[in-house]
């Protein structure tokens, strides 16, 4: 899977799954023969067709096992340095909302929680 993250004034671009109402970073599964970057751009185009990504940089590849579900995770996480366009949902069967959100205080998917915690560690009080 390829995921994207970008921050804008302390907020990140997230989409919410219609089925479980959990928020996640946009992205999705790679097709056979497709590079991770091409996958990311295709998935963003399908999920949020009015969004234009500038250059993307590979931040981290995650290969782990989800402790709750036992599912193997294999994700390439990219950070976009520039994003423009409006938040219009393209895949309305899968996604019911897209928003620029503060990275804490939302119900996130396990992978998105991992990404959030690595990119935006909790600040000591």
């Amino acid at each position: 899977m390829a995921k994207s993250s970008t921050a804008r004034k302390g907020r990140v671009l997230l989409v919410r799954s219609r089925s479980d109402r959990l928020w996640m970073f946009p992205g999705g599964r790679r097709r056979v023969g497709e590079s991770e970057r091409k996958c990311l751009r295709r998935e963003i185009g399908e999920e949020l067709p009015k969004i234009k990504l500038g250059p993307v940089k590979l931040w981290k590849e995650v290969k782990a096992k989800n402790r709750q579900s036992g599912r193997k995770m294999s994700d390439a996480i990219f950070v976009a340095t520039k994003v423009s366009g409006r938040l219009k949902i393209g895949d309305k069967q899968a996604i019911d909302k897209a928003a620029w959100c503060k990275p804490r205080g939302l119900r996130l998917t396990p992978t998105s929680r991992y990404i959030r915690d690595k990119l935006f560690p909790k600040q000591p009080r």
Side-chain angles (χ1 to χ4, degrees):
M1 292 184 93
K3 301 280 183 191
S4 175
S5 173
T6 188
R8 183 185 279 179
K9 296 181 182 177
R11 297 177 186 276
V12 293
L13 179 57
L14 296 171
V15 294
R16 188 173 68 183
S17 168
R18 183 173 294 283
S19 63
D20 60 14
R21 314 285 281 177
L22 294 176
W23 289 89
M24 62 191 150
F25 289 96
R29 295 193 189 280
R30 209 165 31 116
R31 292 180 178 162
V32 175
E34 185 176 52
S35 75
E36 291 165 336
R37 275 186 169 73
K38 285 187 180 187
C39 168
L40 176 65
R41 292 193 181 278
R42 176 185 52 76
E43 285 285 342
I44 295 289
E46 291 172 3
E47 293 176 5
L48 302 167
K50 298 293 184 183
I51 289 290
K52 300 293 179 229
L53 290 180
V56 295
K57 181 174 129 181
L58 180 64
W59 172 67
K60 189 169 191 167
E61 290 192 62
V62 178
K63 293 189 187 310
K65 194 175 202 177
N66 182 316
R67 286 179 274 165
Q68 292 175 337
S69 69
R71 183 181 73 84
K72 289 182 181 180
M73 295 188 303
S74 179
D75 294 293
I77 303 161
F78 291 88
V79 176
T81 55
K82 184 178 178 185
V83 176
S84 61
R86 61 188 183 88
L87 298 179
K88 179 181 185 240
I89 296 169
D91 187 354
K92 292 182 180 177
Q93 289 182 326
I95 297 168
D96 70 350
K97 195 168 186 179
W100 289 96
C101 307
K102 290 193 178 204
R104 300 223 172 258
L106 297 170
R107 291 182 56 231
L108 297 172
T109 64
T111 301
S112 293
R113 268 196 315 273
Y114 174 86
I115 296 167
R116 180 214 47 210
D117 292 347
K118 293 297 182 184
L119 286 174
F120 307 98
K122 277 189 176 180
Q123 301 298 317
R125 291 183 182 207

